[in-house]
């Protein structure tokens, strides 16, 4: 745990809804029906990890795209909702939050160009990570203790296995 580089996580979320600029009630109804089929939201959830969104986020942040390579970016749909969750994991506690918010902004712009009848708006902005998501020293110590206990028990019983096998065969 002490030798691993810490990984920080931050997430932001967007809600997908019919565009409020639509004037025809039929367009609004059709757009709601389409949202129920989940294809639009599922498509938009793939935008955050696209190279176009990453390029746009780098431009928003004023950094080189290459400096974002150590970061993992993932978009997903919260079950039974029209909410897209954008998760970013990487080595810098403040930059993961900045990148999550920039990716969200780039996704809104990209989504608007893909589907004009839908609008996305931020539901939750990412804040700086307070602690690293991994490694988790407490969990690692607990798992190490369990594995050590199991190995110790196995090592203690190993010399007794031939005797136990012999006793079992004699009892049959």
């Amino acid at each position: 745990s002490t030798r691993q580089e810490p990984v920080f996580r931050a997430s932001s979320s967007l809600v997908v809804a019919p565009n409020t600029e639509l004037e025809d009630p039929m367009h609004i109804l059709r757009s709601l029906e389409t949202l129920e089929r989940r294809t639009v939201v599922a498509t938009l959830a793939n935008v955050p990890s696209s190279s176009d969104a990453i390029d746009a986020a780098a431009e928003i942040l004023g950094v080189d795209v290459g400096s974002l390579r150590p970061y993992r970016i993932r978009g997903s749909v919260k079950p039974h909702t029209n909410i897209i969750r954008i998760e970013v994991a990487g080595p810098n506690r403040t930059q993961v939050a900045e990148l999550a918010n920039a990716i969200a902004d780039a996704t809104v712009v990209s989504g608007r160009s893909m589907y004009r009848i839908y609008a996305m708006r931020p539901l939750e902005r990412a804040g700086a990570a307070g602690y690293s998501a991994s490694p988790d020293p407490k969990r690692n110590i607990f798992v190490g203790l369990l594995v050590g206990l199991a190995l110790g028990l196995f090592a203690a019983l190993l010399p007794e296995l031939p005797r136990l096998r012999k006793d079992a065969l004699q009892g049959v």
Side-chain angles (χ1 to χ4, degrees), residues 17-97:
N19 192 339
T20 57
E21 296 174 4
L22 295 175
E23 294 180 15
D24 185 0
M26 291 306 294
H27 286 298
I28 295 172
L29 286 174
R30 275 187 251 136
S31 66
L32 285 171
E33 286 176 9
T34 305
L35 277 179
E36 286 297 318
R37 291 189 204 121
R38 316 299 299 155
T39 57
V40 172
V41 179
T43 301
L44 291 171
N46 286 302
V47 171
S49 58
S50 71
S51 59
D52 289 344
I54 295 168
D55 290 346
E59 189 175 323
I60 290 169
L61 295 173
V63 298
D64 180 48
V65 175
S67 69
L68 301 180
R69 281 198 179 89
Y71 294 87
R72 284 191 333 253
I73 301 163
R74 199 184 103 189
S76 61
V77 180
K78 285 189 164 187
H80 310 294
T81 70
N82 292 327
I83 297 172
I84 297 172
R85 181 182 171 112
I86 299 167
E87 297 176 0
V88 176
N92 185 304
R93 128 183 11 246
T94 54
Q95 191 150 21
V96 290

Side-chain angles (χ1 to χ4, degrees), residues 86-163:
I86 299 167
E87 297 176 0
V88 176
N92 185 304
R93 128 183 11 246
T94 54
Q95 191 150 21
V96 290
E98 292 171 356
L99 183 55
N101 291 329
I103 288 286
D105 294 341
T107 301
V108 168
V109 171
S110 183
R112 191 178 306 131
S113 69
M114 291 170 64
Y115 300 108
R116 289 184 308 227
I117 62 171
Y118 298 104
M120 286 186 282
R121 65 176 177 80
L123 185 63
E124 183 180 351
R125 302 292 281 181
Y131 58 91
S132 66
S134 70
D136 183 353
K138 289 180 184 177
R139 182 192 64 215
N140 292 351
I141 289 170
F142 180 72
V143 170
L145 284 172
L146 287 178
V147 169
L149 193 64
L151 288 173
L153 188 60
F154 178 73
L157 291 177
L158 190 62
E160 296 295 320
L161 284 178
R163 187 183 61 80

